[in-house]
């Protein structure tokens, strides 16, 4: 998962900035009303913004009910102060995916585009006449030579971006009487890269500043900062000499003069110089949903080199303008698009999981499953596409002696819905060929299927409906199904231990470890808001066992995969104390008030 850190400011009880590092298992502890649920709500609100193309209304009625209880904007901003911005800062690590940053490019951004086809032609021609490597590489400045091969500047820049911080500020607009995204900032490899600011005309103004940024190759900087106001040095003596009969040293001297000219130009520029400042044509809150940023290119530059092949001084070409449009679009929209894809993978299970009614009608499409209420677990069980392998895995965890050992198991019955059965039987009677009969039956059985779902009491061998189960099993069942069914997702769960026996709470630690372990197939990330001491102790035990030489447990887990956070209220809102865990399964830092010290007080 590329999302590594979240920082929140001015959301409900969080004044902040409150930072949360995300690991495969991220635990939120703390007393009631400390701000644990506020973090979950903040993430649900941010998710809503990105998947709805910029809807900032916290009371929007989403299908899954994630943000329906947040109220108005003044209800979620810290201290109801409409002068304060709600700020989200997300750290994305692109080394986690194949092809990295380039993986998230829009289809309209051509990654192999380079910024001068004419100079690309010059590169080939200079190579043909045997120009020395240094001069050759300089004259072919549109192509960036890295190692022993050429790649386009778009590819080079995409490969150089390893991490990106995306910081989104949301502020109340008193003029429009609604919330607006007032600013979006992007930092590539921890260095400022771009900002999008909402102006008085409600248009997005984009500013980029990357003159000294490591991701931008020198050839691109030279093309950008060499504009028509500077003199053009022409190497025109090459065109006056017979072909292949020219003074190499004289040519190199004049090219060196050109290099010096470029250096002087750079010295006169502010290191933080704004490359691009233009109003976007669209009025959307987020430009992430546009393939490219439309603007009028603000710079006009001229060619600065002439050879025996040509001498010219023209304005920037259409191809060059297309290159810069692609470059600016990828720098601004790609990090926002990648963050949007992350939010599409976030699922949420609320603190009270519902039990379906006896006449419950399941959702037909997985996209409409209601995970918030927990009913999606039953939708999945009643869906015709549910595989037997998943059911077996659920039963292994639900009833296995080394797992939850609940004494219950899932049972599915699938039926083919065949209309007009009498007509079907008459058709079979008229067929003499066995293969024809088989084909007819296969076609009939491939029709719409109906699924019946029940729970088996494995001790009494009694078949039950979900409504007949105890509260504890009904609360834990949706968590089991979600954890095992989801792949490469972020699952936020509030109070997973609700109404669950302590032994099961500990076993749930194994479930989360199994589904979050990077060496397993699920690769999920869990954010758990919990009060369970037993859950924490089981995770510590598995970390400790993993450090033992002869350990052969299936639940090996590293301390690097756990983030323990203790939240408490202070004078400046919610404070997060990060509790380190060492490889021996012990706390490497102290809890603010001890680890579940209430138990010690009651015993002694």
């Amino acid at each position: 998962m590329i999302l590594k850190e979240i920082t929140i400011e001015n959301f409900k009880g969080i004044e902040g900035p409150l930072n949360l590092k995300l690991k495969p298992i991220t635990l939120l502890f703390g007393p009631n009303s400390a701000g644990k649920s506020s973090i979950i709500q903040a993430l649900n609100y941010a998710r809503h913004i990105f998947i709805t193309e910029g809807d900032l209304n916290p009371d929007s009625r989403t299908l899954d009910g994630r943000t329906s209880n947040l109220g108005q904007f003044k209800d979620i901003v810290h201290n109801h102060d409409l002068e304060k911005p709600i700020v989200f800062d997300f750290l994305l690590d692109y080394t986690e995916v194949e092809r990295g940053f380039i993986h998230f490019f829009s289809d309209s951004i051509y990654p192999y585009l380079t910024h001068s086809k004419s100079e690309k032609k010059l590169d080939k021609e200079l190579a043909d006449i045997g120009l020395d490597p240094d001069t050759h590489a300089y004259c072919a400045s549109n192509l960036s030579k890295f190692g022993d091969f050429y790649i386009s500047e778009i590819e080079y820049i995409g490969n150089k971006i390893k991490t990106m911080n995306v910081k989104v500020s949301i502020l109340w607009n008193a003029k429009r009487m609604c919330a607006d995204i007032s600013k979006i900032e992007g930092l590539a490899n921890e260095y400022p890269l771009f900002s999008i600011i909402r102006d008085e005309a409600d248009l997005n103004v984009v500013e980029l500043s990357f003159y000294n940024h490591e991701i931008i190759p020198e050839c691109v900087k030279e093309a950008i900062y060499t504009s028509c106001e500077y003199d053009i040095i022409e190497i025109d003596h090459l065109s006056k000499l017979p072909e292949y009969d020219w003074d190499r040293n004289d040519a190199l001297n004049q090219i060196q003069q050109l290099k010096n000219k470029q250096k002087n130009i750079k010295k006169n520029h502010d290191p933080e110089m704004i490359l691009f400042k233009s109003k976007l044509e669209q009025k959307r809150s987020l430009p992430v949903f546009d393939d490219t940023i439309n603007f009028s290119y603000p710079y006009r530059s001229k060619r600065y080199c002439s050879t025996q092949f040509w001498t010219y001084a023209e304005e920037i070409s259409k191809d060059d303008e297309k290159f810069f449009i692609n470059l600016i679009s990828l720098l601004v929209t790609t990090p926002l698009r990648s963050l949007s894809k992350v939010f599409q993978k976030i699922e949420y299970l609320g603190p009270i999981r519902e039990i379906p009614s006896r006449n419950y009608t399941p959702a037909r499409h997985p996209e409409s499953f209601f995970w918030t209420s927990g009913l999606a677990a039953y939708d999945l069980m009643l869906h015709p596409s549910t595989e037997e392998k998943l059911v077996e895995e659920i039963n292994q965890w639900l009833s296995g002696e080394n797992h939850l050992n609940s004494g219950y198991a899932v049972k599915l019955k699938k039926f083919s819905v065949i209309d007009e059965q009498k007509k079907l039987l008459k058709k079979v009677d008229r067929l003499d060929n066995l293969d024809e009969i088989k084909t007819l039956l296969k076609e009939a059985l491939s029709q719409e299927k109906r699924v019946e779902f029940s729970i088996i009491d494995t001790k009494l061998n009694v078949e039950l409906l979900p409504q007949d189960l105890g509260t504890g099993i009904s609360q834990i069942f949706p968590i089991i199904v979600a954890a095992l069914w989801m792949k490469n997702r972020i699952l936020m769960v509030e109070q997973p231990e609700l109404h669950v026996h302590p032994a099961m709470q500990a076993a749930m630690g194994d479930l989360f470890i199994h589904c979050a372990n990077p060496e397993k197939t699920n690769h999920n990330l869990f954010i758990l808001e919990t009060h369970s001491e037993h859950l924490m102790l089981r995770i510590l035990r598995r970390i400790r066992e993993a450090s033992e030489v002869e350990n052969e447990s299936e639940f090996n887990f590293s301390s690097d995969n756990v983030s323990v956070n203790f939240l408490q209220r202070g004078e400046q809102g919610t404070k997060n104390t990060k509790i380190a865990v060492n490889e021996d399964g012990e706390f490497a830092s102290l809890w603010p008030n001890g680890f579940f010290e209430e138990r010690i007080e009651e015993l002694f």
Side-chain angles (χ1 to χ4, degrees), residues 127-141:
D128 290 341
I129 64 175
L131 207 60
D132 70 271
D134 290 339
T135 308
H136 172 206
Y138 181 76
C139 288
S141 59

Side-chain angles (χ1 to χ4, degrees), residues 11 40-49 51-52 55-72 76 348 372:
F11 185 88
I40 303 292
Q41 291 172 359
L43 284 172
N44 277 330
Y45 180 51
R47 175 187 179 275
H48 174 73
I49 293 170
I51 68 172
T52 59
D55 180 9
L56 301 171
N57 181 10
D59 200 34
S60 294
R61 302 291 173 174
T62 56
L63 287 175
D64 57 7
R66 294 188 188 211
T67 61
S68 60
N69 295 322
L70 293 182
Q72 302 178 22
I76 63 172
Y348 166 62
T372 302

Side-chain angles (χ1 to χ4, degrees), residues 205-240:
V205 178
V206 180
E207 299 180 359
L208 285 95
S209 175
F210 54 60
Y211 179 70
N212 276 341
H213 210 295
E214 65 173 1
I215 69 171
I216 309 298
E218 289 298 319
C219 55
V220 174
K221 294 177 184 177
E222 289 177 6
I224 292 168
Y225 293 110
T226 304
S227 62
C228 58
E229 64 182 285
Y230 302 108
D231 294 332
I232 298 173
I233 299 176
E234 296 184 351
I235 313 174
D236 57 1
H237 68 284
L238 293 176
S239 62
K240 299 175 183 178

Side-chain angles (χ1 to χ4, degrees), residues 146-300:
F146 309 102
D148 296 326
F149 58 93
Y150 287 115
I151 62 174
S152 72
E153 291 86 346
I154 299 290
E155 288 179 283
Y156 172 76
I157 293 170
N159 290 332
K160 288 286 284 187
I161 296 177
K162 304 303 181 184
T163 64
M164 180 72 74
N165 280 85
V166 178
K167 188 174 183 179
V168 181
S169 300
I170 306 165
L171 188 63
W172 180 257
N173 188 325
K175 181 180 178 181
R176 299 178 61 223
M177 294 299 293
C178 66
D180 263 341
I181 293 180
S182 58
K183 191 173 185 179
I184 302 176
E185 298 171 88
L187 284 77
N189 302 348
E190 303 182 357
Y191 194 89
L193 180 64
F194 72 84
S195 64
I196 307 172
I197 303 173
R198 195 81 159 175
D199 70 357
E200 294 180 356
D202 292 329
L203 289 173
N204 292 313
V205 178
V206 180
E207 299 180 359
L208 285 95
S209 175
F210 54 60
Y211 179 70
N212 276 341
H213 210 295
E214 65 173 1
I215 69 171
I216 309 298
E218 289 298 319
C219 55
V220 174
K221 294 177 184 177
E222 289 177 6
I224 292 168
Y225 293 110
T226 304
S227 62
C228 58
E229 64 182 285
Y230 302 108
D231 294 332
I232 298 173
I233 299 176
E234 296 184 351
I235 313 174
D236 57 1
H237 68 284
L238 293 176
S239 62
K240 299 175 183 178
L241 297 174
E243 190 174 7
Y244 302 116
D245 184 16
W246 46 277
D247 189 335
R248 180 186 297 272
N249 292 331
D250 192 12
L252 291 176
N253 288 336
Q254 293 216 29
I255 290 176
Q256 185 59 47
Q257 291 180 25
L258 177 60
K259 291 183 178 181
N260 294 336
K261 181 82 172 183
Q262 300 303 318
K263 290 180 180 178
N264 291 333
I265 291 172
K266 292 180 185 179
K267 288 179 181 178
N268 294 329
H269 283 297
D270 186 337
E272 299 298 329
M273 175 184 177
I274 293 174
L275 157 68
F276 164 72
K277 184 173 182 180
S278 180
K279 292 182 178 180
L280 301 180
E281 293 181 4
Q282 66 271 26
K283 290 189 177 183
R284 288 176 174 174
S285 295
L286 288 171
V288 61
F289 305 101
D290 297 286
D291 291 333
T292 57
I293 294 178
N294 299 315
F295 64 92
S296 297
Y297 187 67
Y299 292 95
R300 291 292 173 184

Side-chain angles (χ1 to χ4, degrees), residues 27-31 497 505 530-537 540 564 566 587 591-603:
L27 299 162
L28 307 179
F29 286 99
E497 74 277 8
Q505 293 181 33
T530 180
H531 298 280
S532 176
E533 176 184 13
H534 308 284
L535 175 63
M536 181 76 256
L537 290 175
L540 293 177
V564 182
F566 184 81
F587 295 122
W591 289 66
N593 298 313
F595 178 59
F596 289 94
E597 63 180 6
E598 298 83 2
R599 178 168 60 114
I600 303 299
E601 292 179 359
E602 295 300 320
L603 290 174

Side-chain angles (χ1 to χ4, degrees), residues 498-518:
L498 189 66
H499 299 299
V500 176
H501 186 273
M504 281 192 181
Q505 293 181 33
M508 287 177 69
D510 286 339
L511 173 68
F512 295 129
I513 288 173
H514 173 79
C515 296
N517 197 323

Side-chain angles (χ1 to χ4, degrees), residues 427-478:
K427 289 181 181 179
V428 173
D429 290 338
R430 289 196 297 267
L431 296 175
D432 297 328
N433 191 309
L434 182 59
D435 291 335
E436 291 179 352
I437 296 174
K438 288 181 178 179
T439 301
L440 180 63
L441 290 176
K442 284 181 180 180
E443 290 176 355
L445 292 173
S446 66
Q447 302 299 317
E448 181 183 358
K449 289 183 171 58
R450 181 168 59 88
V451 182
E452 288 185 359
F453 166 63
S454 60
I455 302 288
I456 303 297
D457 185 326
T458 56
K459 294 181 179 179
L460 301 177
N461 197 25
V462 175
E463 196 168 319
L464 305 171
L465 294 177
Q467 299 79 17
D468 302 324
L469 297 176
T471 305
I473 300 299
S474 69
Q475 293 301 299
I476 200 174
F477 181 72

